[in-house]
Amino acid sequence: HDHGKCMVILVVNQNLKIFIFALNRYQLNYNTMKTIFKFVAAVIAFVMPFTTSAQMKTEQNSTVKKNVELSADVVVCGGGLAGVCAAVSAARHGSKVILVQDRPMLGGNASSEMRMGIVGTKTDDVQETGILEEMQLRNFYYNPLQRYTMWDDVIYTTVISEPNIKLLLNTSVNDVVMNGERIAAVKAWNINAYTHYTIAGKLFLDCTGDGILRLSGAKYRHGRENPEEFGETRLQEGNDAKTMGNSILIQLRKTDEEVPFIAPEWAYHFTDADFDYSIPESTIPGMKFNYKRIYKAHDNNFWWCEFGGNFDTIADANDIQFELKKIVYGIWEYMKNHPDGRAKGFELDWIGSLPAKRENTRFVGPHILTEHDVMSGGHFPDVVAYGGWTLDDHHPDAFHKKGAISVEYTVPQGFGIPFGVLYSVNVPNLMFAGRDISATHMGLSATRVMATCALLGQAAGTGAAVAIEKGIDPAQVHKEHIAQVQAMLEDDDVMLPYRWRKISELTAKAKVSEDIEILRNGIDRNWQGQDNGVWVAPNENTITYSWKKPVTVSAARMIFDSELKVRSKRMRKLEATTERVEIPKVMAKGFKIEALVGKEWKTLYSDDDNYQRLRKVTFEPVETKQLRLVVTETWGAEKAHIFAFDAL
């Protein structure tokens, strides 16, 4: 029997023959031989998957498609900014996450495939932070030339750096497995690996924008409500299945050579007559009309190359894509070859192949966000995110409409969005974030933009992590633990409207000098003209906290000023440039945290290459009566600007 084991190894791998004979030559005893064989067998089992198979694969000994079963606490479907922020947030708070994305890269509308600008609020005070700001700063650090394919990998890096996330790219969710009214698993297909996945989970987040998890039977809406249903006075038409359309963008390159552009034969060929219509301005305060902008090629992202609102933006996606191609090529031919030289100095550098979507379906949650919620400022006790984009309703006729193709209404900056729009009213373990939240058509028109979607994703991911931690559904989180979700979001550098972050207990108890007292107000940004930070000269000034009695400190939280300005960190509209972006100069590049131990200052943590706004650091617990933050270097300014320093 024991010799048979040896023979099995010899048969499986003939290369072991010499090894076996060598062992016999030394006349090793039975137990030694047995131990060695076990070790060799284990090495072979580990190495074989990474080596070329010794046997050629045929239809007799292999399969064309694989079936793989996976499981996680949280399954996030959709890898746009909402899905990425949801997955990262849930993972950082302890949940095991599987992120399923149907494209070869992450980012959705912000990716190199579509290149829509990341927009949201319209004033500096309420610029979005959290995971979105983290990724944008990482992009400045690793991608100063602002190349879109590298931006894809900045987002990718953010995801794969989290050990609690398993990422599946090129994988499309195509079915769900139900257990009663709950989702038990999703089924997905990876077109590159020819693999069918069955992915089980406790909680499922739909961040696809298309709402594929409607397959669960979750309630949803697609189209425009009757204006009378919610009394939405800014919705002029409704009670139909029409939506806002999709857009294909183009990017331009500056050039010194002027040559005409030749469009494909199948493209539209426009003339001045196609754009001969009046463009009156609105006379109503806070209301704005938008038109096709066929001038100023150097300052145009061509969002108005839009189509599909009269069709099903999901089921008719291929037809919509081809129509947009015809429009875009025709537009550039018209502009580039126009005798007035309106596109002089520019060449077509890139044209999108995948349309960027604005609106598809919206799930129904316990609260449906309306235009009234937006216009009133969104004063919700369960606020977990906010917006600031206009009520921006695009006409379904889009490009083919004469005259104004969208109408915007100014909204309060930082209007609140409640937790109740992020989970299903009838599928207990289904959440959602992004373009498919629970909202009316008009409510969605202000929340569908990507910076807002990123905040919604981070809120949903945080809420999901609390649900997993406590073994409950989102509805119970909403009812019993919303304060915890809000505190976690604020600690992760997400501002929530109409409230400020609560500082740590140790920070509150510390004695501080008058000039740094402002760091304890919980306002981690400039706000309505007030500077809520302190200026620190490298290696000169310090931020020092003192206590009457020794306290135990094991961590610290800092917010460095990353210069929050509207659209200051979005990707460029022109791809080809040698102009580099820079990390904000007032950021602390180098810093260290020191504690007074005995009569000497001991360095607990240091970093000489920081590029992030939010830093949470841990170190070995230490008893001390004084803790200080020392800036050693900035990114170019004479002094660093700091909004928060919390001892933990």
Side-chain angles (χ1 to χ4, degrees):
H1 180 70
D2 291 314
H3 288 295
K5 289 183 179 178
C6 296
M7 290 302 296
V8 169
I9 294 178
L10 285 170
V11 171
V12 169
N13 195 323
Q14 294 292 322
N15 292 330
L16 286 177
K17 279 184 177 179
I18 297 174
F19 178 67
I20 300 298
F21 290 147
L23 293 179
N24 288 337
R25 184 176 178 185
Y26 287 101
Q27 297 181 344
L28 300 175
N29 62 40
Y30 169 80
N31 287 331
T32 303
M33 288 280 287
K34 186 175 180 180
T35 301
I36 292 175
F37 280 131
K38 284 185 176 180
F39 173 75
V40 173
V43 171
I44 292 171
F46 177 78
V47 172
M48 285 300 288
F50 302 99
T51 61
T52 303
S53 175
Q55 186 177 17
M56 183 178 72
K57 291 182 179 180
T58 71
E59 75 284 352
Q60 295 177 324
N61 63 14
S62 62
T63 59
V64 177
K65 296 187 293 184
K66 293 189 297 183
N67 292 294
V68 175
E69 294 185 358
L70 301 172
S71 65
D73 296 323
V74 178
V75 180
V76 179
C77 304
L81 293 188
V84 165
C85 292
V88 170
S89 182
R92 287 180 179 175
H93 288 293
S95 296
K96 297 294 183 182
V97 178
I98 294 176
L99 174 57
V100 187
Q101 165 70 332
D102 62 356
R103 308 302 301 169
M105 72 279 293
L106 297 163
N109 282 353
S111 74
S112 64
E113 287 189 302
M114 288 163 275
R115 308 192 181 189
M116 277 282 183
I118 299 174
V119 297
T121 57
K122 292 176 175 286
T123 60
D124 294 347
D125 282 359
V126 292
Q127 282 301 288
E128 300 84 355
T129 49
I131 296 171
L132 173 62
E133 178 73 354
E134 173 190 327
M135 289 192 292
Q136 292 182 139
L137 287 168
R138 183 170 291 116
N139 192 43
F140 268 42
Y141 184 80
Y142 287 104
N143 184 24
L145 286 175
Q146 299 283 269
R147 300 298 187 239
Y148 256 101
T149 50
M150 294 180 68
W151 162 238
D152 291 339
D153 285 339
V154 165
I155 305 173
Y156 180 75
T157 297
T158 304
V159 170
I160 66 170
S161 297
E162 296 300 326
N164 278 346
I165 298 179
K166 180 176 180 61
L167 173 62
L168 301 176
L169 294 175
N170 300 299
T171 305
S172 298
V173 173
N174 53 30
D175 205 355
V176 300
V177 179
M178 300 298 292
N179 180 10
E181 61 182 359
R182 305 177 70 84
I183 302 175
V186 296
K187 290 184 176 291
W189 166 247
N190 185 299
I191 194 172
N192 284 0
Y194 284 14
T195 298
H196 285 292
Y197 287 104
T198 300
I199 309 169
K202 300 174 183 176
L203 200 59
F204 295 82
L205 270 68
D206 192 317
C207 300
T208 64
D210 293 349
I212 185 63
L213 297 189
R214 290 176 291 143
L215 291 167
S216 64
K219 293 183 177 181
Y220 69 92
R221 294 178 171 218
H222 182 113
R224 305 183 293 185
E225 288 81 8
N226 187 321
E228 296 177 356
E229 181 178 359
F230 294 96
E232 294 181 307
T233 58
R234 294 167 181 82
L235 178 62
Q236 302 303 312
E237 300 177 79
N239 197 26
D240 55 38
K242 296 181 179 182
T243 65
M244 290 178 273
N246 303 344
S247 288
I248 277 183
L249 300 188
I250 63 177
Q251 279 189 307
L252 308 178
R253 178 193 296 268
K254 291 183 179 180
T255 181
D256 295 327
E257 184 181 11
E258 294 300 328
V259 295
F261 178 77
I262 303 173
E265 291 182 2
W266 44 260
Y268 288 119
H269 302 285
F270 298 112
T271 67
D272 288 340
D274 293 300
F275 306 102
D276 185 16
Y277 48 79
S278 61
I279 50 173
E281 297 293 330
S282 170
T283 58
I284 301 174
M287 181 182 180
K288 174 187 175 184
F289 296 133
N290 291 311
Y291 302 87
K292 287 165 274 192
R293 298 184 299 179
I294 53 174
Y295 293 92
K296 299 181 179 178
H298 63 284
D299 187 26
N300 196 340
N301 75 344
F302 300 94
W303 62 267
W304 43 266
C305 294
E306 178 183 352
F307 179 77
N310 292 316
F311 298 83
D312 187 323
T313 49
I314 300 173
D316 300 320
N318 290 336
D319 294 334
I320 293 171
Q321 179 181 11
F322 183 54
E323 178 71 8
L324 284 168
K325 286 277 192 179
K326 293 162 65 177
I327 291 171
V328 170
Y329 274 114
I331 283 293
W332 182 246
E333 179 188 58
Y334 168 78
M335 292 179 65
K336 180 60 181 175
N337 301 338
H338 201 281
D340 68 6
R342 65 186 63 187
K344 184 179 180 180
F346 292 93
E347 293 281 1
L348 182 60
D349 187 68
W350 171 88
I351 179 171
S353 58
L354 191 67
K357 297 178 180 179
R358 287 183 177 82
E359 179 185 8
N360 297 317
T361 57
R362 309 178 302 278
F363 287 101
V364 176
H367 185 86
I368 298 176
L369 192 78
T370 69
E371 80 169 45
H372 301 299
D373 293 329
V374 172
M375 295 304 291
S376 65
H379 292 257
F380 296 103
D382 60 337
V383 62
V384 289
Y386 64 89
W389 192 250
T390 54
L391 286 169
D392 182 15
D393 188 20
H394 291 225
H395 195 281
D397 291 349
F399 179 83
H400 292 305
K401 181 180 183 296
K402 293 283 188 179
I405 62 174
S406 81
V407 182
E408 292 186 68
Y409 298 91
T410 302
V411 305
Q413 291 301 289
F415 63 81
I417 304 174
F419 189 76
V421 305
L422 300 180
Y423 66 94
S424 173
V425 74
N426 68 309
V427 179
N429 63 337
L430 172 62
M431 299 185 72
F432 26 80
R435 287 182 291 108
D436 54 15
I437 64 169
S438 178
T440 64
H441 167 81
M442 286 302 295
L444 183 76
S445 74
T447 60
R448 61 184 169 78
V449 292
M450 283 184 283
T452 308
C453 288
L455 294 184
L456 291 167
Q458 186 161 355
T462 303
V466 172
I468 295 300
E469 174 198 354
K470 300 185 180 300
I472 58 178
D473 289 332
Q476 195 171 349
V477 171
H478 191 187
K479 182 179 180 181
E480 300 175 6
H481 303 285
I482 193 63
Q484 179 182 347
V485 174
Q486 292 170 323
M488 291 165 66
L489 287 166
E490 289 173 327
D491 188 60
D492 290 338
D493 195 26
V494 175
M495 185 196 78
L496 298 183
Y498 318 117
R499 48 179 286 154
W500 295 116
R501 178 181 63 88
K502 184 179 180 181
I503 63 175
S504 72
E505 185 177 350
L506 281 177
T507 305
K509 289 182 177 179
K511 180 181 179 181
V512 301
S513 58
E514 185 177 348
D515 59 331
I516 65 171
E517 176 63 41
I518 198 165
L519 295 183
R520 301 199 293 185
N521 67 6
I523 307 176
D524 296 340
R525 58 181 64 212
N526 292 327
W527 184 254
Q528 296 180 352
Q530 177 178 318
D531 181 353
N532 292 295
V534 298
W535 294 90
V536 179
N539 299 308
E540 292 182 18
N541 311 115
T542 65
I543 298 172
T544 304
Y545 291 163
S546 303
W547 295 272
K548 290 182 179 180
K549 296 180 180 180
V551 296
T552 300
V553 182
S554 60
R557 175 190 182 274
M558 291 147 286
I559 294 288
F560 300 113
D561 186 357
S562 60
E563 295 183 344
L564 302 179
K565 297 183 184 300
V566 177
R567 303 192 187 187
S568 64
K569 299 184 181 73
R570 67 178 290 181
M571 293 289 287
R572 293 170 173 147
K573 298 173 185 176
L574 294 177
E575 173 75 2
T577 177
T578 57
E579 182 183 353
R580 296 176 182 270
V581 297
E582 296 179 333
I583 301 293
K585 295 182 185 298
V586 298
M587 289 262 292
K589 181 179 182 182
F591 70 90
K592 57 185 177 180
I593 297 170
E594 298 179 329
L596 187 63
V597 179
K599 295 183 178 181
E600 295 185 356
W601 287 99
K602 177 182 178 181
T603 299
L604 306 178
Y605 184 92
S606 65
D607 189 348
D608 60 4
D609 198 27
N610 171 63
Y611 59 89
Q612 285 296 349
R613 167 184 161 87
L614 168 65
R615 291 298 308 272
K616 296 179 182 179
V617 301
T618 59
F619 37 80
E620 288 296 320
V622 62
E623 276 202 353
T624 184
K625 294 177 70 175
Q626 284 191 304
L627 187 78
R628 70 184 185 187
L629 171 63
V630 181
V631 174
T632 57
E633 186 181 4
T634 71
W635 280 93
E638 290 185 6
K639 295 182 179 181
H641 197 217
I642 300 169
F643 287 119
F645 175 49
D646 278 55
L648 304 167

